[in-house]
Amino acid sequence: MLTIALSKGRILEQTLPLLKKAGLEIANEELNSRKLILDTNLDDVKVIVIRATDVPVFVQHGAADMGIAGKDVLLEHGANGLFELLDLGIAKCKLMVAASSKDKLNQNTLKIATKYVNSAKHYFEAKGQQIDIIKLYGAMELAPVVGLAHCIVDLVDTGNTLKANGLVPLEHIEDISSRLVVNAASFKTKNTQIKTWVKSIEKNL
Amino acid sequence: MSTWQLPEGIDELTGDRALAFESVRRTLLDLYADKGFGLVIPPMVEYVESLLLTSDSVDEKTFKFLDSTSGKMLGVHADITPQIARIDAKRASDKVEKYCYVNAILQTKADDFYASRSPIQAGAELYGSDDISADVEVIELMLKSLKLLSINPIVLSLGNVLIFNTLIAQESLSVEQVAKLRQIFARRSAPDLAEFIGGVTLNNADKFSALMKLEGDVSILDKALNVFSDLPEAKSAIEDLIKISRQLNAVDVEVMIDLAELKAYEYHTGVVFSAYNEDYSKALAQGGRYNGLSASFGKARAATGFSFDLKFLSQAQ
């Protein structure tokens, strides 16, 4: 039995066609049901659809053998005990520092609003910049506007939300896309099965 | 906070659980004694210099405090292996020496979510032989230990860090770049490796990419010989694995070759191995060759051994 953890939302929409091409299908009734463990067209593969941030946690602890999660989530989690075998090239965006203007970043202690606490810490630590982090769960762009923080660290796709709130993307931290991750122990105990999946997904990218 | 609350990651065994632990501890020690491994009980604290904190991962895991009597820093043991290196060095023997231990250790952070910060580490170490037969002996003893603990079937993963180290020696990379590369291999991130290779000049970029994908059944070793045919050291590291997989006498064990496996502890220098079972999401026991540890105590001695958390595994039965 193989369990695959998928991220809800935008990533899921782009993941399903990839899996279908590799030979794994989930019926619409399953997707639309309230079930948490979904059946697939294959008897020995089950799928769980969970919040993106939970995917590395489930895979790390072996509750799922494989998973699909954004690089942003993996960086934040630390991805211990996980193998990141493939870049799926979907849900692409950038992790960036944004503020209303460049001089806002010139602070002795920079106040940063973000949900990417670890990534922000690593980035600014490497630059030798002293920081204070304010963890937020959404509407990051609001923080500099209302004076809660000097800047934000967040994903930037088109940049439209930033623009609408008077912010500009200033520093590039990391390119983000979705990755196929595998539990390190499952990789050993279910090696043949997992490699077959990885190969057929890779072939269809 | 109530006074009976234990600190995070600290646990205890009581009643039947304690009895189950004690019963397997005795059978294990009987097995090790039977195979000629002598019991040692290293002290709980030592001078930090003796605990070989040159390994960053051991250093990070070690609780340290100031000894007001000597004015020196002491550390609580977070791993028994460096202590065995000290004990063996003190003996100044030229012969093969075999040691075993079952000891409570303490770690500042647990290895993973299911691990405790106060594991009871059991293991065996064989000093003074650089021969493949020594590796085979400790691997077989590790497999027997797991069988005693009723863990069945077992997938045995075999690798050799010498291959990676030989490749690194061919390049002129900075310490930071090597650390980054190790980290990429630990995450087995093919995309990040491609990005890394794109950003630096390497003599053997294709070999690094090939190494990351060299895993599977023993037939992969022939393929590996081809890939590393022009690097004698890497080739002999692969030949060692071929010999081990041929000599290994293990029933109910599936051997899996994983040449990209680099151990968590930086002190391993050759063959590395770990045991897995489908019901567990982590390695249950692991070990390998570490010929460099003794040098810190004055005299380099070949050594190989394994360890596991007996407290965790005794409760898994």
Side-chain angles (χ1 to χ4, degrees):
Chain A
M1 177 60 67
L2 201 68
T3 309
I4 306 179
L6 303 179
S7 303
K8 263 183 195 171
R10 188 168 73 113
I11 299 182
L12 184 67
E13 283 166 31
Q14 298 182 33
T15 305
L16 293 175
L18 275 182
L19 293 177
K20 195 174 172 182
K21 275 194 237 160
L24 186 74
E25 287 185 60
I26 308 155
N28 275 333
E29 343 22 304
E30 285 288 311
L31 283 171
N32 298 331
S33 72
R34 284 174 163 271
K35 274 163 65 175
L36 296 172
I37 300 177
L38 309 183
D39 291 323
T40 66
N41 59 327
L42 303 172
D43 286 339
D44 60 347
V45 182
K46 300 263 183 252
V47 161
I48 51 179
V49 180
I50 49 184
R51 279 178 74 117
T53 41
D54 291 339
V55 170
V57 182
F58 272 68
V59 178
Q60 179 193 14
H61 298 149
D65 301 296
M66 297 209 285
I68 290 175
K71 181 74 187 169
D72 54 328
V73 170
L74 295 175
L75 283 170
E76 200 51 31
H77 170 266
N80 231 340
L82 298 182
F83 287 171
E84 253 179 75
L85 300 182
L86 284 181
D87 183 353
L88 299 175
I90 55 171
K92 281 186 176 177
C93 53
K94 291 181 171 71
L95 186 65
M96 297 197 74
V97 182
S100 57
S101 65
K102 198 156 180 57
D103 60 288
K104 282 279 188 288
L105 299 185
N106 189 13
Q107 310 286 344
N108 286 335
T109 300
L110 191 64
K111 281 192 168 40
I112 304 164
T114 186
K115 66 174 169 185
Y116 299 102
V117 175
N118 295 329
S119 305
K121 233 185 243 170
H122 288 149
Y123 176 73
F124 286 102
E125 240 171 48
K127 287 179 52 162
Q129 169 73 53
Q130 196 69 27
I131 54 167
D132 273 344
I133 290 185
I134 300 152
K135 170 140 189 172
L136 294 178
Y137 292 87
M140 243 52 77
E141 296 80 2
L142 196 58
V145 178
V146 297
L148 190 60
H150 297 118
C151 68
I152 63 170
V153 166
D154 203 9
L155 296 181
V156 180
D157 185 9
T158 57
N160 287 342
T161 319
L162 289 183
K163 213 171 172 184
N165 291 289
L167 301 178
V168 276
L170 293 167
E171 291 175 14
H172 174 267
I173 299 180
E174 197 87 38
D175 282 327
I176 304 296
S177 59
S178 292
R179 305 277 169 112
L180 178 76
V181 291
V182 175
N183 172 273
S186 300
F187 186 73
K188 311 264 183 174
T189 56
K190 302 177 183 177
N191 188 268
T192 322
Q193 202 184 3
I194 287 176
K195 263 190 350 207
T196 311
W197 277 109
V198 172
K199 275 185 190 149
S200 51
I201 293 172
E202 191 174 18
K203 205 169 68 198
N204 289 294
L205 283 181
Chain B
M1 194 186 75
S2 57
T3 45
W4 46 259
Q5 180 100 39
L6 292 172
E8 192 180 316
I10 302 295
D11 54 356
E12 62 197 350
L13 298 175
T14 54
D16 287 346
R17 288 166 193 269
L19 286 173
F21 166 82
E22 183 55 16
S23 138
V24 288
R25 188 185 72 90
R26 288 180 198 179
T27 12
L28 264 183
L29 290 180
D30 286 346
L31 168 72
Y32 296 162
D34 191 40
K35 300 283 176 192
F37 285 76
L39 182 68
V40 284
I41 305 176
M44 188 198 292
V45 290
E46 292 202 31
Y47 293 123
V48 285
E49 293 83 2
S50 314
L51 289 171
L52 296 183
L53 307 179
T54 43
S55 161
D56 285 345
S57 41
V58 181
D59 188 12
E60 274 173 24
K61 279 187 186 167
T62 304
F63 277 97
K64 301 161 194 111
F65 58 95
L66 186 70
D67 176 21
S68 53
T69 312
S70 65
K72 284 188 156 191
M73 288 301 285
L74 301 186
V76 180
H77 55 190
D79 183 16
I80 303 291
T81 308
Q83 295 188 291
I84 307 286
R86 180 185 53 73
I87 290 171
D88 180 76
K90 198 162 134 192
R91 258 185 210 185
S93 160
D94 288 321
K95 294 199 289 277
V96 169
E97 302 283 348
K98 302 178 185 180
Y99 308 92
C100 71
Y101 52 86
V102 177
N103 263 101
I105 55 172
L106 192 63
Q107 301 182 332
T108 53
K109 49 185 175 190
D111 283 332
D112 58 78
F113 175 70
Y114 295 111
S116 123
R117 292 205 294 162
S118 57
I120 299 180
Q121 199 180 31
E125 320 280 340
L126 193 158
Y127 276 75
S129 168
D130 202 12
D131 196 72
I132 287 299
S133 61
D135 297 292
V136 172
E137 186 176 343
V138 294
I139 294 173
E140 284 178 353
L141 191 59
M142 177 181 85
L143 295 173
K144 279 206 184 87
S145 310
L146 292 176
K147 207 148 274 177
L148 251 176
L149 289 155
S150 312
I151 291 159
N152 241 330
I154 294 167
V155 174
L156 174 71
S157 164
L158 286 179
N160 196 332
V161 296
L162 203 55
I163 308 172
F164 179 83
N165 292 347
T166 306
L167 277 183
I168 290 291
Q170 303 285 315
E171 314 289 349
S172 43
L173 294 169
S174 68
V175 177
E176 291 77 28
Q177 284 171 321
V178 174
K180 188 166 183 204
L181 200 51
R182 275 186 162 275
Q183 216 241 338
I184 290 174
F185 267 81
R187 281 186 291 114
R188 215 60 68 86
S189 176
D192 288 357
L193 180 64
E195 197 187 316
F196 180 85
I197 288 173
V200 292
T201 327
L202 294 174
N203 301 318
N204 288 303
D206 52 331
K207 288 198 173 65
F208 277 108
S209 313
L211 180 63
M212 191 173 274
K213 298 245 155 97
L214 281 171
E215 29 76 14
D217 58 21
V218 283
S219 67
I220 209 85
L221 290 170
D222 290 326
K223 203 173 151 191
L225 278 179
N226 281 330
V227 175
F228 296 100
S229 56
D230 56 339
L231 292 173
E233 279 192 322
K235 224 179 123 195
S236 92
I238 298 162
E239 278 158 359
D240 281 353
L241 290 178
I242 296 178
K243 282 185 213 150
I244 290 177
S245 61
R246 284 201 189 130
Q247 285 178 29
L248 206 59
N249 174 21
V251 190
D252 282 341
V253 174
E254 183 192 329
V255 175
M256 190 247 174
I257 305 294
D258 194 352
L259 300 186
E261 181 73 78
L262 310 176
K263 285 283 110 174
Y265 292 139
E266 300 90 340
Y267 54 64
H268 286 111
T269 53
V271 173
V272 288
F273 45 85
S274 38
Y276 295 84
N277 171 279
E278 245 194 68
D279 295 338
Y280 300 88
S281 60
K282 61 173 185 175
L284 299 178
Q286 52 195 331
R289 187 160 274 289
Y290 53 100
N291 290 349
L293 263 195
S294 300
S296 317
F297 298 105
K299 190 176 165 194
R301 285 260 280 170
T304 175
F306 68 86
S307 67
F308 57 90
D309 180 0
L310 182 60
K311 187 156 67 171
F312 174 79
L313 289 185
S314 71
Q315 303 310 306
Q317 287 180 307

